[in-house]
Short mmCIF file of all heavy atoms in Angstrom, two decimals:
data_model
loop_
_atom_site.label_atom_id
_atom_site.label_comp_id
_atom_site.label_asym_id
_atom_site.label_seq_id
_atom_site.Cartn_x
_atom_site.Cartn_y
_atom_site.Cartn_z
N ASN A 204 0.81 -1.24 0.01
CA ASN A 204 0.03 0.00 0.00
C ASN A 204 0.85 1.25 0.00
O ASN A 204 0.31 2.34 -0.09
CB ASN A 204 -0.96 0.02 1.24
CG ASN A 204 -1.96 -1.12 1.15
OD1 ASN A 204 -2.37 -1.52 0.08
ND2 ASN A 204 -2.29 -1.68 2.30
N TYR A 205 2.14 1.11 0.10
CA TYR A 205 3.08 2.24 0.16
C TYR A 205 4.16 2.04 -0.92
O TYR A 205 4.57 0.93 -1.17
CB TYR A 205 3.67 2.39 1.55
CG TYR A 205 2.68 2.52 2.68
CD1 TYR A 205 2.30 1.43 3.43
CD2 TYR A 205 2.07 3.77 2.91
CE1 TYR A 205 1.34 1.55 4.43
CE2 TYR A 205 1.12 3.92 3.89
CZ TYR A 205 0.78 2.81 4.65
OH TYR A 205 -0.16 2.97 5.65
N ALA A 206 4.67 3.15 -1.42
CA ALA A 206 5.67 3.10 -2.50
C ALA A 206 6.89 2.35 -2.01
O ALA A 206 7.49 1.56 -2.76
CB ALA A 206 5.99 4.50 -3.00
N TRP A 207 7.34 2.61 -0.78
CA TRP A 207 8.56 1.98 -0.26
C TRP A 207 8.41 0.45 -0.24
O TRP A 207 9.29 -0.27 -0.69
CB TRP A 207 8.91 2.47 1.15
CG TRP A 207 10.13 1.88 1.68
CD1 TRP A 207 11.42 2.20 1.48
CD2 TRP A 207 10.19 0.70 2.53
NE1 TRP A 207 12.31 1.38 2.13
CE2 TRP A 207 11.57 0.42 2.81
CE3 TRP A 207 9.23 -0.16 3.11
CZ2 TRP A 207 11.98 -0.60 3.61
CZ3 TRP A 207 9.64 -1.19 3.92
CH2 TRP A 207 10.98 -1.42 4.16
N LEU A 208 7.27 -0.02 0.27
CA LEU A 208 7.04 -1.47 0.34
C LEU A 208 6.93 -2.09 -1.07
O LEU A 208 7.44 -3.16 -1.35
CB LEU A 208 5.84 -1.81 1.17
CG LEU A 208 5.53 -3.32 1.34
CD1 LEU A 208 6.75 -4.08 1.89
CD2 LEU A 208 4.33 -3.53 2.22
N LEU A 209 6.29 -1.36 -1.99
CA LEU A 209 6.18 -1.88 -3.36
C LEU A 209 7.60 -2.00 -3.98
O LEU A 209 7.88 -3.01 -4.61
CB LEU A 209 5.33 -0.90 -4.20
CG LEU A 209 5.10 -1.32 -5.62
CD1 LEU A 209 4.44 -2.66 -5.71
CD2 LEU A 209 4.31 -0.23 -6.38
N ARG A 210 8.47 -1.05 -3.71
CA ARG A 210 9.85 -1.13 -4.22
C ARG A 210 10.56 -2.34 -3.60
O ARG A 210 11.26 -3.08 -4.29
CB ARG A 210 10.63 0.17 -3.94
CG ARG A 210 10.29 1.30 -4.85
CD ARG A 210 11.28 2.46 -4.73
NE ARG A 210 11.47 2.94 -3.37
CZ ARG A 210 10.69 3.87 -2.80
NH1 ARG A 210 9.70 4.40 -3.44
NH2 ARG A 210 10.94 4.23 -1.54
N ARG A 211 10.38 -2.54 -2.28
CA ARG A 211 11.07 -3.67 -1.61
C ARG A 211 10.50 -4.99 -2.16
O ARG A 211 11.23 -5.96 -2.38
CB ARG A 211 10.84 -3.63 -0.09
CG ARG A 211 11.41 -2.41 0.63
CD ARG A 211 12.86 -1.97 0.38
NE ARG A 211 13.82 -2.97 0.10
CZ ARG A 211 14.80 -2.86 -0.83
NH1 ARG A 211 14.91 -1.76 -1.60
NH2 ARG A 211 15.64 -3.83 -1.04
N LYS A 212 9.19 -5.05 -2.38
CA LYS A 212 8.57 -6.34 -2.90
C LYS A 212 9.10 -6.63 -4.29
O LYS A 212 9.44 -7.76 -4.58
CB LYS A 212 7.02 -6.19 -2.95
CG LYS A 212 6.40 -6.33 -1.57
CD LYS A 212 4.89 -6.13 -1.64
CE LYS A 212 4.17 -7.32 -2.20
NZ LYS A 212 3.98 -8.44 -1.31
N ARG A 213 9.19 -5.60 -5.13
CA ARG A 213 9.71 -5.79 -6.51
C ARG A 213 11.19 -6.22 -6.45
O ARG A 213 11.62 -7.12 -7.20
CB ARG A 213 9.53 -4.52 -7.33
CG ARG A 213 8.09 -4.29 -7.73
CD ARG A 213 7.92 -3.02 -8.53
NE ARG A 213 6.54 -2.88 -8.90
CZ ARG A 213 6.01 -1.69 -9.24
NH1 ARG A 213 6.76 -0.61 -9.22
NH2 ARG A 213 4.75 -1.63 -9.59
N TRP A 214 11.97 -5.55 -5.62
CA TRP A 214 13.39 -5.85 -5.45
C TRP A 214 13.53 -7.31 -5.02
O TRP A 214 14.36 -8.03 -5.59
CB TRP A 214 13.94 -4.90 -4.41
CG TRP A 214 15.46 -5.07 -4.17
CD1 TRP A 214 16.00 -5.87 -3.21
CD2 TRP A 214 16.49 -4.44 -4.85
NE1 TRP A 214 17.36 -5.76 -3.25
CE2 TRP A 214 17.71 -4.88 -4.25
CE3 TRP A 214 16.58 -3.53 -5.88
CZ2 TRP A 214 18.97 -4.44 -4.68
CZ3 TRP A 214 17.80 -3.08 -6.31
CH2 TRP A 214 18.97 -3.57 -5.72
N HIS A 215 12.82 -7.71 -4.03
CA HIS A 215 12.93 -9.06 -3.47
C HIS A 215 12.41 -10.10 -4.47
O HIS A 215 12.93 -11.24 -4.54
CB HIS A 215 12.21 -9.18 -2.13
CG HIS A 215 12.66 -10.32 -1.30
ND1 HIS A 215 13.92 -10.50 -0.88
CD2 HIS A 215 11.94 -11.38 -0.82
CE1 HIS A 215 14.01 -11.62 -0.18
NE2 HIS A 215 12.83 -12.20 -0.14
N ALA A 216 11.41 -9.73 -5.23
CA ALA A 216 10.90 -10.67 -6.28
C ALA A 216 11.98 -10.97 -7.30
O ALA A 216 12.09 -12.10 -7.78
CB ALA A 216 9.68 -10.06 -6.96
N VAL A 217 12.82 -9.99 -7.66
CA VAL A 217 13.92 -10.23 -8.56
C VAL A 217 14.88 -11.24 -7.95
O VAL A 217 15.38 -12.12 -8.61
CB VAL A 217 14.67 -8.92 -8.93
CG1 VAL A 217 15.96 -9.21 -9.67
CG2 VAL A 217 13.76 -8.02 -9.74
N HIS A 218 15.13 -11.12 -6.64
CA HIS A 218 15.98 -12.08 -5.95
C HIS A 218 15.44 -13.51 -6.01
O HIS A 218 16.18 -14.44 -6.21
CB HIS A 218 16.18 -11.66 -4.49
CG HIS A 218 16.93 -12.66 -3.68
ND1 HIS A 218 18.30 -12.79 -3.80
CD2 HIS A 218 16.56 -13.58 -2.78
CE1 HIS A 218 18.71 -13.77 -2.99
NE2 HIS A 218 17.67 -14.27 -2.38
N HIS A 219 14.13 -13.63 -5.86
CA HIS A 219 13.51 -14.94 -5.84
C HIS A 219 13.36 -15.54 -7.25
O HIS A 219 13.19 -16.76 -7.40
CB HIS A 219 12.14 -14.91 -5.17
CG HIS A 219 12.26 -15.12 -3.68
ND1 HIS A 219 12.05 -16.33 -3.07
CD2 HIS A 219 12.54 -14.27 -2.66
CE1 HIS A 219 12.20 -16.23 -1.78
NE2 HIS A 219 12.51 -14.99 -1.52
N HIS A 220 13.36 -14.69 -8.26
CA HIS A 220 13.14 -15.16 -9.63
C HIS A 220 14.20 -14.56 -10.57
O HIS A 220 13.88 -13.79 -11.47
CB HIS A 220 11.72 -14.76 -10.13
CG HIS A 220 10.64 -15.24 -9.23
ND1 HIS A 220 10.29 -16.54 -9.17
CD2 HIS A 220 9.86 -14.58 -8.36
CE1 HIS A 220 9.32 -16.72 -8.26
NE2 HIS A 220 9.05 -15.53 -7.76
N PRO A 221 15.43 -14.92 -10.33
CA PRO A 221 16.52 -14.31 -11.16
C PRO A 221 16.47 -14.84 -12.58
O PRO A 221 16.18 -16.02 -12.84
CB PRO A 221 17.81 -14.79 -10.44
CG PRO A 221 17.42 -16.08 -9.77
CD PRO A 221 15.97 -15.90 -9.41
N SER A 222 16.82 -13.96 -13.52
CA SER A 222 16.84 -14.38 -14.92
C SER A 222 18.17 -14.98 -15.30
O SER A 222 18.26 -15.85 -16.13
CB SER A 222 16.50 -13.20 -15.85
OG SER A 222 17.40 -12.15 -15.64
N LYS A 223 19.27 -14.50 -14.69
CA LYS A 223 20.60 -15.02 -15.05
C LYS A 223 21.34 -15.52 -13.81
O LYS A 223 21.82 -16.64 -13.79
CB LYS A 223 21.41 -13.89 -15.72
CG LYS A 223 20.85 -13.46 -17.07
CD LYS A 223 21.73 -12.37 -17.62
CE LYS A 223 21.10 -11.77 -18.86
NZ LYS A 223 21.77 -10.58 -19.30
N LYS A 224 21.49 -14.69 -12.81
CA LYS A 224 22.21 -15.09 -11.59
C LYS A 224 21.45 -14.55 -10.40
O LYS A 224 20.69 -13.61 -10.48
CB LYS A 224 23.64 -14.57 -11.62
CG LYS A 224 23.73 -13.04 -11.59
CD LYS A 224 25.15 -12.55 -11.53
CE LYS A 224 25.12 -11.01 -11.49
NZ LYS A 224 26.18 -10.44 -10.79
N ILE A 225 21.74 -15.15 -9.26
CA ILE A 225 21.12 -14.69 -8.03
C ILE A 225 21.70 -13.26 -7.69
O ILE A 225 22.88 -13.06 -7.73
CB ILE A 225 21.42 -15.64 -6.84
CG1 ILE A 225 20.84 -17.01 -7.12
CG2 ILE A 225 20.85 -15.08 -5.54
CD1 ILE A 225 19.38 -17.18 -6.96
N SER A 226 20.81 -12.36 -7.43
CA SER A 226 21.23 -10.98 -7.11
C SER A 226 20.19 -10.39 -6.12
O SER A 226 19.33 -11.07 -5.63
CB SER A 226 21.27 -10.12 -8.36
OG SER A 226 20.02 -10.02 -8.94
N HIS A 227 20.33 -9.14 -5.82
CA HIS A 227 19.42 -8.41 -4.96
C HIS A 227 19.34 -9.05 -3.56
O HIS A 227 18.29 -9.55 -3.15
CB HIS A 227 18.05 -8.31 -5.63
CG HIS A 227 18.01 -7.52 -6.86
ND1 HIS A 227 18.58 -7.98 -8.06
CD2 HIS A 227 17.49 -6.29 -7.16
CE1 HIS A 227 18.42 -7.06 -8.99
NE2 HIS A 227 17.74 -6.06 -8.49
N PHE A 228 20.42 -9.00 -2.85
CA PHE A 228 20.49 -9.69 -1.55
C PHE A 228 19.96 -8.84 -0.39
O PHE A 228 19.60 -9.35 0.62
CB PHE A 228 21.93 -10.12 -1.27
CG PHE A 228 22.43 -11.12 -2.22
CD1 PHE A 228 23.23 -10.72 -3.31
CD2 PHE A 228 22.11 -12.45 -2.13
CE1 PHE A 228 23.68 -11.66 -4.26
CE2 PHE A 228 22.55 -13.41 -3.05
CZ PHE A 228 23.33 -12.99 -4.11
N GLY A 229 19.99 -7.54 -0.57
CA GLY A 229 19.47 -6.65 0.51
C GLY A 229 17.96 -6.78 0.56
O GLY A 229 17.32 -6.73 -0.45
N VAL A 230 17.43 -6.92 1.77
CA VAL A 230 16.01 -7.03 1.95
C VAL A 230 15.44 -5.65 2.38
O VAL A 230 14.47 -5.17 1.83
CB VAL A 230 15.62 -8.13 2.94
CG1 VAL A 230 14.11 -8.11 3.26
CG2 VAL A 230 16.02 -9.47 2.44
N THR A 231 16.09 -5.02 3.34
CA THR A 231 15.61 -3.72 3.85
C THR A 231 16.05 -2.56 3.00
O THR A 231 15.46 -1.52 3.07
CB THR A 231 16.06 -3.50 5.31
OG1 THR A 231 17.46 -3.56 5.36
CG2 THR A 231 15.44 -4.52 6.25
N ASN A 232 17.16 -2.76 2.24
CA ASN A 232 17.66 -1.66 1.44
C ASN A 232 18.51 -2.23 0.32
O ASN A 232 18.94 -3.36 0.32
CB ASN A 232 18.43 -0.67 2.29
CG ASN A 232 19.72 -1.23 2.75
OD1 ASN A 232 20.73 -1.20 2.06
ND2 ASN A 232 19.73 -1.77 3.99
#
């Protein structure tokens, strides 16, 4: 419901579904 959480969810989704290699290890930032 907030822009910050939406950015974190998108960031973390990339970590869980990498296209080439595992990346995006920061959860809070």
Side-chain angles (χ1 to χ4, degrees):
N204 295 327
Y205 302 99
W207 179 84
L208 181 55
L209 182 59
R210 284 192 307 273
R211 299 310 328 139
K212 284 177 76 77
R213 288 179 178 158
W214 181 269
H215 199 59
V217 171
H218 174 75
H219 273 263
H220 305 287
S222 59
K223 295 178 188 170
K224 63 176 182 152
I225 300 283
S226 64
H227 295 71
F228 297 98
V230 173
T231 57
N232 69 84

